[in-house]
Amino acid sequence: MAQTDTLILASGSPRRVELLAQAGITPARLMPMDIDETPKRSEHPRSLARRLSTGKAQAALAAIKGDPAFAGSYILAADTVVSVGRRILPKTEMIDEASSALHLLSGRSHRVFTGVCLITPDRTVRQKVIDTKVRFKRLSTTDIEAYLSSGQWRGKAGGYAIQGIAGSFVVKLVGSYTNVVGLPLYETLALLSGEGFDVHAGWTDA
């Protein structure tokens, strides 16, 4: 069956596109939303993930306002936040940020929160925040320097991508693996299905 429901993904993340594709879902349009992602003073990581995902979804809704092609669309947005305690780690763009994050994560547990926001065709807003606990091995200087050289840290929350080399750093993971990649599949599909989106339409018969 062909996918008939129209889904707008308010993100340009290749990881989120790939995860949706894994579940048989192809967004009709990618709409990366450029909003201020600066945490508020004393903001909890969970609250930040919720606020940013909602902000991106609402920004996408505003961008398609008045466009009849997307009048009956679903809008999906997500934002992933990595934290140690209440300390929020940045999405690393500079190598010193990534180095600092990796030294902080070395040998300890951290949490990954992904806020997922869905705006339905009748413009109801649905939200979830998924929490995964991850523990890294103790990273040697060689581990960190070699990982920094790989470039896989660039633009990643907490300075690493679990689906790449950094997967070998993980000693223990409690919760959703796809949440750490950037989009918790089980919870996202449950959210879509609960609001009438046909999540099976893109599945093909064996």
Side-chain angles (χ1 to χ4, degrees), residues 109-165:
S109 294
H110 61 277
R111 303 189 93 93
V112 180
F113 298 91
T114 298
V116 180
C117 182
L118 177 69
I119 299 179
T120 68
D122 66 3
R123 300 321 179 208
T124 300
V125 177
R126 301 295 187 204
Q127 301 165 308
K128 285 187 178 181
V129 179
I130 311 306
D131 175 7
T132 301
K133 186 176 182 180
V134 183
R135 183 174 181 84
F136 269 15
K137 71 172 187 173
R138 188 166 298 281
L139 302 175
S140 67
T141 299
T142 302
D143 287 332
I144 292 174
E145 289 179 352
Y147 188 69
L148 293 174
S149 296
S150 76
Q152 291 188 9
W153 52 268
R154 197 174 301 279
K156 305 299 192 299
Y160 75 94
I162 197 171
Q163 71 274 22
I165 297 165

Side-chain angles (χ1 to χ4, degrees), residues 11-186:
S11 172
S13 166
R15 300 177 302 285
R16 293 188 178 118
V17 173
E18 289 165 5
L19 285 167
L20 285 173
Q22 180 181 325
I25 296 173
T26 303
R29 184 174 177 182
L30 301 182
M31 294 184 65
M33 291 292 108
D34 185 17
I35 66 172
D36 183 0
E37 300 189 11
T38 305
K40 295 180 180 178
R41 186 173 181 178
S42 301
E43 188 169 24
H44 191 280
R46 177 184 293 274
S47 300
L48 177 63
R50 181 185 299 276
R51 178 171 64 84
L52 294 183
S53 61
T54 303
K56 290 176 180 179
Q58 291 175 335
L61 176 60
I64 63 165
K65 187 176 181 180
D67 186 340
F70 295 103
S73 61
Y74 292 80
I75 300 171
L76 180 68
D79 197 87
T80 301
V81 175
V82 175
S83 69
V84 176
R86 291 182 66 97
R87 178 175 174 180
I88 296 168
L89 278 62
K91 292 179 180 176
T92 51
E93 300 296 343
M94 306 296 291
I95 197 165
D96 59 334
E97 291 177 323
S99 177
S100 177
L102 292 169
H103 278 95
L104 181 62
L105 297 176
S106 175
R108 67 195 303 176
S109 294
H110 61 277
R111 303 189 93 93
V112 180
F113 298 91
T114 298
V116 180
C117 182
L118 177 69
I119 299 179
T120 68
D122 66 3
R123 300 321 179 208
T124 300
V125 177
R126 301 295 187 204
Q127 301 165 308
K128 285 187 178 181
V129 179
I130 311 306
D131 175 7
T132 301
K133 186 176 182 180
V134 183
R135 183 174 181 84
F136 269 15
K137 71 172 187 173
R138 188 166 298 281
L139 302 175
S140 67
T141 299
T142 302
D143 287 332
I144 292 174
E145 289 179 352
Y147 188 69
L148 293 174
S149 296
S150 76
Q152 291 188 9
W153 52 268
R154 197 174 301 279
K156 305 299 192 299
Y160 75 94
I162 197 171
Q163 71 274 22
I165 297 165
S168 65
F169 300 162
V170 178
V171 174
K172 187 176 182 180
L173 185 150
V174 181
S176 167
Y177 171 81
T178 54
N179 180 52
V180 185
V181 179
L183 187 70
L185 273 185
Y186 165 73

